[in-house]
Amino acid sequence: QVVTLKKCWRVFLIQHADDYLQALRLYLRLIHRWQWINDGQYRHVSRMVAEIGRLLGGWRKRTALQK
């Protein structure tokens, strides 16, 4: 039961992080549209955010496979 509680907590935290990442993507698109950052800066930070998304996806899959 402790393992299940840890897994539920981990799933919750990963989902919470993913929600914040989605908000970050929205804010990045807005600040780029408003020209607060240039194209190069937008590409750079978008690559970094995409990598974080891949990490979260991997953690989510690994957590789902655990018993």
Side-chain angles (χ1 to χ4, degrees), residues 10-32:
R10 189 175 299 135
V11 168
F12 170 77
L13 291 176
I14 291 170
Q15 181 59 48
H16 196 64
D18 193 44
D19 293 342
Y20 274 105
L21 193 62
Q22 290 296 335
L24 178 62
R25 285 183 175 119
L26 171 67
Y27 297 143
L28 285 172
R29 286 192 303 268
L30 286 174
I31 65 172
H32 182 252

